[in-house]
C-alpha cells in the first residue's frame, strides 16, 4: 500500500519535494493533498503537481483522513505552531529543517509527538543520502581509522534575499546553512556531545549572523567550497560538493558516484531530487511502526538545536521566540 502524503505549504521547497516524490514508485508514494494559506495558491500548486485535493487552510488538511504523513514545508518561524497542529491531531510529520527556532520549541514538538504516539522527523535530507550512508559504513568498519577532526566549510551568496537576512523570518547563516556543517560533524562523531563550544561571528544590520567561525565555517557573504573533509591516519575522506546533498565520495583520490534521477519539473535548489531519500526513510519507518528515524533521530535534532542555540548566544543573535 502506498504512503499517502499531505503537503503543508506551497513554496519552493514543497515544490522540490513533490518533484522528488514523483521520481519514486507510485505504488509506494502518492501525494494525496496540498494545503496553503490561500485556496488559490493550493489549487495552483495542485495543478502543477497533479495533486487531487487542494485546501485553503492547514486545518482542512488536518481533517483529511486519507493522509498517512504530512510534509511541513512552511517557513521555520511557523514550524512550532503548524507542527503542533498536526501532531496533536495524530498525524505523522516530516518537518523541514531547521526543526524550530530554538531548543524549547524543538522539545515542544517532540513532546507532542510522544504524547500522541506519532512519527516525527526533522527533514535533514543530508542524513538520508547514499553518500552519507557510505561515510557511516566506512567509519563503523574502521576502514579509515579513527577520525580526529572534521573540517567543513559552507558558503553561499545570499545577502540579496530578504528571507535569508531578516531576523523576523528566522534568517541567518547558522540556522539556514550552518546546521548542515554541524549535523555532519555530529554524524561523524555519533552524536557525542561537544565538551566545549566556541563561536565567533559577524552580525548583519538586521541582527542575524553573516559569518560564524568555529571548527566549522559558514558564509552568507560569498560562495565557498562546500566540502567536508575527514583527515585520518592514512589519508582523507572527502564528501563531494555540495556537502549537504552530495553525489560523490572521494577516498584517498578514488571517487565513487551516486547519481540522482532527473527531475520531471524544474527545481529551485540543486540536487533536490535527493529529497526522495528522506521520503523513502519516512516510509520505511512507518511500515516498521517506528516513531523516529535512526538516520536523524529526535535526540540528534535536540543536540543540533542545543549547539545552535549556544552558538547564537555567543555571537549575539536573539530571535523573538527566544524570549517567549
Amino acid at each position: 500500500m502506498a504512503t499517502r502524503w499531505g503537503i503543508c505549504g506551497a513554496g519552493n521547497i514543497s515544490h522540490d519535494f513533490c518533484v522528488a516524490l514523483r521520481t519514486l514508485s507510485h505504488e509506494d508514494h502518492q501525494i494525496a493533498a496540498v494545503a496553503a494559506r490561500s485556496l488559490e495558491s493550493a489549487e495552483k500548486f495542485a495543478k502543477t503537481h497533479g495533486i487531487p485535493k487542494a485546501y485553503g487552510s492547514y486545518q482542512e488538511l488536518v481533517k483529511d483522513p486519507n493522509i498517512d504523513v504530512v510534509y511541513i514545508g512552511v517557513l521555520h518561524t511557523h514550524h512550532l505552531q503548524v507542527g503542533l497542529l498536526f501532531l496533536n491531531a495524530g498525524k505523522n510529520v516530516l518537518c523541514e529543517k531547521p526543526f524550530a527556532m530554538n531548543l524549547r520549541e524543538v522539545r515542544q514538538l517532540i513532546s507532542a509527538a510522544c504524547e500522541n504516539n506519532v512519527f516525527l522527523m526533522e527533514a535533514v535530507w543530508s542524513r538520508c543520502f547514499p553518500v552519507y550512508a557510505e561515510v557511516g559504513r566506512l567509519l563503523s568498519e574502521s576502514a579509515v581509522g579513527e577520525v580526529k577532526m572534521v573540517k567543513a566549510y559552507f558558503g553561499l551568496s545570499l545577502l540579496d534575499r530578504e528571507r535569508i537576512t531578516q531576523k523576523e523570518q528566522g534568517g541567518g547563516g547558522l540556522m539556514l546553512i550552518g546546521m548542515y556543517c554541524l549535523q555532519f560533524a555530529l554524524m561523524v562523531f555519533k552524536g557525542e556531545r561537544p565538551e566545549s563550544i566556541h563561536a565567533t561571528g559577524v552580525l548583519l544590520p538586521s541582527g542575524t549572523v553573516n559569518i560564524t567561525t568555529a571548527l566549522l565555517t559558514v558564509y552568507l557573504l560569498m560562495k565557498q567550497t562546500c566540502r567536508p573533509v575527514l583527515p585520518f591516519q592514512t589519508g582523507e575522506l572527502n564528501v563531494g560538493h555540495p556537502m549537504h546533498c552530495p553525489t560523490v565520495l572521494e577516498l584517498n583520490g578514488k571517487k565513487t558516484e551516486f547519481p540522482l534521477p532527473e527531475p520531471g519539473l524544474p527545481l529551485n535548489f540543486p540536487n533536490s531530487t535527493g529529497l526522495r531519500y528522506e521520503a523513502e526513510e519516512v516510509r520505511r519507518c512507518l511500515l516498521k511502526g517506528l516513531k523516529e528515524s535512526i538516520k536523524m533521530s529526535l535526540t540528534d535534532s535536540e543536540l543540533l538545536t542545543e549547539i545552535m542555540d549556544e552558538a547564537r548566544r555567543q555571537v549575539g543573535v536573539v530571535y523573538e521566540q527566544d524570549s517567549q
Side-chain angles (χ1 to χ4, degrees):
M1 183 176 178
T3 297
R4 299 167 298 179
W5 289 88
I7 307 299
C8 177
N12 289 341
I13 190 62
S14 293
H15 167 88
D16 284 11
F17 185 75
C18 289
V19 173
L21 282 177
R22 295 298 189 194
T23 69
L24 297 168
S25 168
H26 186 69
E27 295 180 356
D28 292 338
H29 296 270
Q30 295 175 13
I31 309 173
V34 59
R37 287 178 295 179
S38 74
L39 183 58
E40 181 182 3
S41 295
E43 288 178 338
K44 182 179 179 181
F45 191 94
K47 183 177 180 181
T48 298
H49 294 281
I51 302 173
K53 293 181 181 179
Y55 298 123
S57 72
Y58 305 146
Q59 288 80 4
E60 291 177 89
L61 183 59
V62 167
K63 296 176 183 177
D64 191 328
N66 300 311
I67 300 295
D68 297 313
V69 58
V70 175
Y71 169 80
I72 297 178
V74 302
L75 194 65
H76 54 282
T77 50
H78 301 295
H79 282 180
L80 176 64
Q81 177 186 4
V82 176
L84 291 178
L85 178 68
F86 290 105
L87 293 169
N88 288 331
K91 297 289 190 186
N92 299 305
V93 167
L94 172 66
C95 181
E96 256 309 327
K97 64 85 192 166
F99 219 170
M101 293 300 294
N102 52 41
L103 183 59
R104 176 185 56 79
E105 291 193 351
V106 167
R107 285 177 171 166
Q108 282 184 262
L109 290 171
I110 293 174
S111 177
C114 293
E115 289 174 5
N116 293 283
N117 195 33
V118 291
F119 174 86
L120 176 63
M121 176 179 167
E122 181 180 12
V124 181
W125 62 322
S126 312
R127 291 289 183 96
C128 301
F129 267 68
V131 168
Y132 274 61
E134 183 64 10
V135 170
R137 184 188 68 80
L138 291 170
L139 292 174
S140 65
E141 295 177 358
S142 300
V144 297
E146 185 178 2
V147 175
K148 297 293 187 179
M149 177 185 294
V150 175
K151 296 189 293 184
Y153 307 89
F154 196 169
L156 295 172
S157 180
L158 299 172
L159 293 184
D160 59 335
R161 303 184 189 182
E162 185 175 287
R163 190 182 82 80
I164 303 298
T165 60
Q166 293 304 307
K167 187 161 64 172
E168 294 76 12
Q169 299 189 49
L174 182 63
M175 292 284 279
L176 296 166
I177 62 175
M179 56 83 61
Y180 283 122
C181 298
L182 286 171
Q183 66 81 26
F184 182 79
L186 290 176
M187 184 197 75
V188 170
F189 293 120
K190 299 179 181 178
E192 183 178 350
R193 182 178 296 275
E195 293 184 5
S196 63
I197 299 169
H198 302 281
T200 60
V202 177
L203 294 181
L204 296 168
S206 63
T208 59
V209 65
N210 173 22
I211 301 175
T212 303
T213 305
L215 175 61
L216 314 169
T217 304
V218 182
Y219 299 88
L220 283 182
L221 182 63
M222 61 185 178
K223 290 186 177 181
Q224 173 80 15
T225 301
C226 310
R227 179 175 297 176
V229 180
L230 306 182
F232 53 93
Q233 289 94 325
T234 59
E236 67 178 28
L237 183 66
N238 291 273
V239 174
H241 172 80
M243 68 153 290
H244 62 306
C245 49
T247 58
V248 177
L249 186 67
E250 184 177 336
L251 177 58
N252 291 334
K254 182 180 179 181
K255 293 184 178 180
T256 304
E257 296 189 6
F258 301 83
L260 290 168
E262 290 297 316
L265 291 171
L267 296 168
N268 294 297
F269 306 105
N271 291 1
S272 279
T273 50
L275 291 165
R276 73 201 303 264
Y277 299 127
E278 65 182 11
E280 288 181 307
E281 173 63 8
V282 170
R283 175 173 167 80
R284 183 191 71 82
C285 291
L286 294 181
L287 291 176
K288 289 182 174 292
L290 302 176
K291 303 306 176 185
E292 62 180 304
S293 166
I294 190 174
K295 291 187 177 181
M296 189 64 199
S297 71
L298 298 178
T299 301
D300 290 336
S301 292
E302 277 193 283
L303 181 55
L304 174 61
T305 310
E306 183 179 342
I307 293 172
M308 289 198 295
D309 279 4
E310 175 58 21
R312 285 198 296 110
R313 186 193 67 78
Q314 292 183 22
V315 176
V317 178
V318 180
Y319 294 113
E320 178 185 353
Q321 292 83 354
D322 295 329
S323 61
Q324 294 176 358

